[in-house]
Amino acid sequence: MKILVVGSGAREHALCWRLNLSPNVSDIWVADGNSGTAQVASNMPVSPEDVDGLASLASQLQADLVVVGPEQPLVNGLVDRLGEMGIPAFGPSASAAQLEGSKSFARQVMTDAGVPGPDYRVFRDTAAALEFLGGHSSPVVIKADGLAAGKGVALCSGPEEAVLAVKGCMDDRIFGAAGETIVMEEWLRGTEVSVFAFCDGERLSAPVAACDYKQLGDGDQGPNTGGMGSFSPPPFWNDKLSEQVCRTILEPTVARMAEIGSPYKGMLYAGLMLTRDGPKVLEFNCRFGDPETQVILPLLESDPVEVMQACISGGLAQSPVRWGNRAHVGVVMVSGGYPGAYETGKEITGIDGHCQSAEMPGLDTDCFIFHAGAKPVTDEPGDTRTMTSGGRVLTVVGCGQSIGEARDVAYKRVKQIHFEDAGYRLDIGDLSEGSRSG
């Protein structure tokens, strides 16, 4: 099979790596890829947000399957466009992708389906939002309704912070049109977990879980980012909790989406808070997560191509999904200054091997390096160097029999990698008491 992967991050490098292990795959192209995908696939200079360009590319390549990584092309209707052309694509339709593209839409779906979540209000007017805050002293979470690259969420412990967040979204437009509408939610307390399940519009696969780290600094301090690391499987995840999440959250949501004429096909990603009253939904995402993909794909024992085809055709019942239980910890290395202003063009050294060669290591490898904001640069003599090109540069994944063992492997490898002003958290996968502030 010939496959086109859409996206340029570490998630897409991980997808290319896992797809490449399938005996069903002959060729992989990536739009537009990075230095890591360039080692295992052919990078194509088409933006992941250019629906017309992607549709044309898929047609030219005679792709048998398109795998969409990021959320924006899904929300923009890439899967619908490809479907009209007779090209199978893994991911939800534009209407189903509203589960991530509009937080107010997602909350309404959950309300109608009886899915547990925080108390919430939707505001489309600054004055109404500020009036509500005037009589509300409890901590709140304020979210831009639309896509904001993982940064449109403000945790507000007091009214002053909440007022600033509302004005920033709705008046200052710091997230552009995504913040014209906001969702104001009760601040839930508990343990956060990301849950992923393949879906064919009616049925769900067995889910897999991971924990991620969104804030820049150790102890969950500092600004929100696109993700600083993750680990899987969480020690608290078990069959009972998995069954409860499927029964009370995933299955009712999928059933409701089918009822409203937007059947959900693809990877369904639920961000949950495990509260004293049970699991509650923080948000839904309509694709593989990043950086969680980098630690869950090594757990996927089933052939990903067969599973994705089953999701598209509605045949997931005939393609059971098997997950392993080996521990994985992923540490994200970032450019200095991220998530604010940062410089690029810094040479990266110490990354030879580990997911770079054409002969990809298998699922039992002890370490992976997945590239994101990194690109190959060829000097005049023909030497190719890897240079930073973005904020999140690499995800270094360690594997082991326990989270602690996997964590040791990951950080040992991180210390061997160098680029100017590199940054990373020191507490990814640290399960000791008090290691997270949350």
Side-chain angles (χ1 to χ4, degrees):
M1 289 186 66
K2 295 178 289 186
I3 297 180
L4 172 62
V5 175
V6 177
S8 58
R11 164 182 52 210
E12 286 73 34
H13 187 185
L15 281 165
C16 288
W17 161 75
R18 189 62 188 87
L19 289 165
N20 197 62
L21 293 177
S22 168
N24 294 311
V25 174
S26 59
D27 300 281
I28 304 177
W29 296 274
V30 190
D32 55 347
N34 56 49
S35 53
T37 60
Q39 302 296 324
V40 295
S42 298
N43 289 350
M44 307 299 288
V46 178
S47 168
E49 297 184 14
D50 181 1
V51 171
D52 290 339
L54 292 167
S56 177
L57 178 63
S59 178
Q60 292 171 18
L61 296 173
Q62 298 183 323
D64 299 303
L65 174 66
V66 177
V67 178
V68 187
E71 62 273 19
Q72 193 69 62
L74 294 168
V75 172
N76 290 350
L78 176 59
V79 170
D80 307 74
R81 179 70 172 277
L82 293 169
E84 293 168 359
M85 299 167 61
I87 300 175
F90 178 77
S93 65
S95 62
Q98 288 184 87
L99 274 180
E100 179 169 4
S102 171
K103 293 179 177 60
S104 58
F105 170 86
R107 284 294 170 209
Q108 189 60 57
V109 168
M110 286 183 268
T111 298
D112 294 343
V115 170
D119 293 334
Y120 73 97
R121 296 279 297 271
V122 177
F123 294 99
R124 296 177 174 84
D125 176 75
T126 305
L130 296 179
E131 181 180 0
F132 175 80
L133 286 173
H136 189 92
S137 58
S138 300
V140 296
V141 179
I142 294 174
K143 300 179 178 179
D145 185 62
L147 298 179
K151 300 180 181 70
V153 177
L155 306 177
C156 306
S157 57
E160 296 84 3
E161 294 176 59
V163 168
L164 289 174
V166 168
K167 291 182 176 180
C169 274
M170 305 186 81
D171 294 343
D172 301 334
R173 300 294 178 89
I174 60 175
F175 303 115
E180 291 178 357
T181 296
I182 64 169
V183 178
M184 193 178 301
E185 299 176 355
E186 167 194 11
W187 186 335
L188 298 178
R189 302 286 185 177
T191 299
E192 194 168 341
V193 63
S194 301
V195 178
F196 300 85
F198 290 98
C199 185
D200 70 358
E202 296 182 9
R203 303 168 194 83
L204 290 153
S205 73
V208 65
C211 292
D212 74 329
Y213 296 71
K214 295 182 176 66
Q215 289 176 276
L216 179 67
D218 295 346
D220 293 338
Q221 301 299 308
N224 270 350
T225 72
M228 294 297 296
S230 57
F231 64 87
S232 183
F236 56 78
W237 188 255
N238 54 43
D239 290 344
K240 181 179 179 181
L241 181 56
S242 176
E243 186 278 330
Q244 182 182 12
V245 167
C246 287
R247 175 173 44 83
T248 64
I249 293 173
L250 300 181
E251 291 171 358
T253 299
V254 169
R256 180 58 183 162
M257 291 297 289
E259 286 175 2
I260 64 175
S262 298
Y264 191 96
K265 296 185 177 185
M267 176 61 80
L268 182 59
Y269 163 7
L272 309 180
M273 187 69 80
L274 306 182
T275 73
R276 290 180 295 180
D277 299 320
K280 295 186 178 184
V281 178
L282 296 172
E283 63 180 3
F284 277 117
N285 291 315
C286 62
R287 34 72 192 186
F288 284 96
D290 188 345
E292 295 97 335
T293 297
Q294 294 89 291
V295 297
I296 66 170
L297 276 185
L299 295 171
L300 180 60
E301 296 178 346
S302 302
D303 187 321
V305 175
E306 293 179 359
V307 173
M308 291 176 182
Q309 288 178 311
C311 289
I312 296 167
S313 67
L316 199 54
Q318 287 74 48
S319 297
V321 177
R322 302 182 307 278
W323 301 99
N325 56 13
R326 197 169 182 226
H328 291 75
V329 173
V331 179
V332 175
M333 301 184 71
V334 301
S335 296
Y338 175 83
Y342 55 84
E343 294 182 357
T344 59
K346 312 295 185 182
E347 183 175 4
I348 308 169
T349 61
I351 54 173
D352 292 339
H354 299 294
C355 289
Q356 291 208 101
S357 67
E359 295 181 3
M360 299 294 284
L363 299 178
D364 58 350
T365 302
D366 67 348
C367 185
F368 306 96
I369 299 174
F370 295 117
H371 296 205
K375 65 179 182 180
V377 174
T378 302
D379 300 327
E380 285 189 11
D383 294 331
T384 299
R385 298 181 295 160
T386 303
M387 313 293 285
T388 64
S389 61
R392 291 193 294 171
V393 179
L394 305 167
T395 303
V396 181
V397 178
C399 317
Q401 296 306 309
S402 67
I403 295 296
E405 183 179 317
R407 182 174 187 272
D408 290 342
V409 172
Y411 276 106
K412 180 180 179 180
R413 192 68 183 88
V414 164
K415 291 175 182 177
Q416 298 170 349
I417 300 170
H418 304 281
F419 56 91
E420 186 179 334
D421 294 328
Y424 52 90
R425 284 181 60 155
L426 298 173
D427 61 349
I428 306 300
D430 182 357
L431 304 182
S432 61
E433 189 71 27
S435 61
R436 301 190 74 170
S437 63

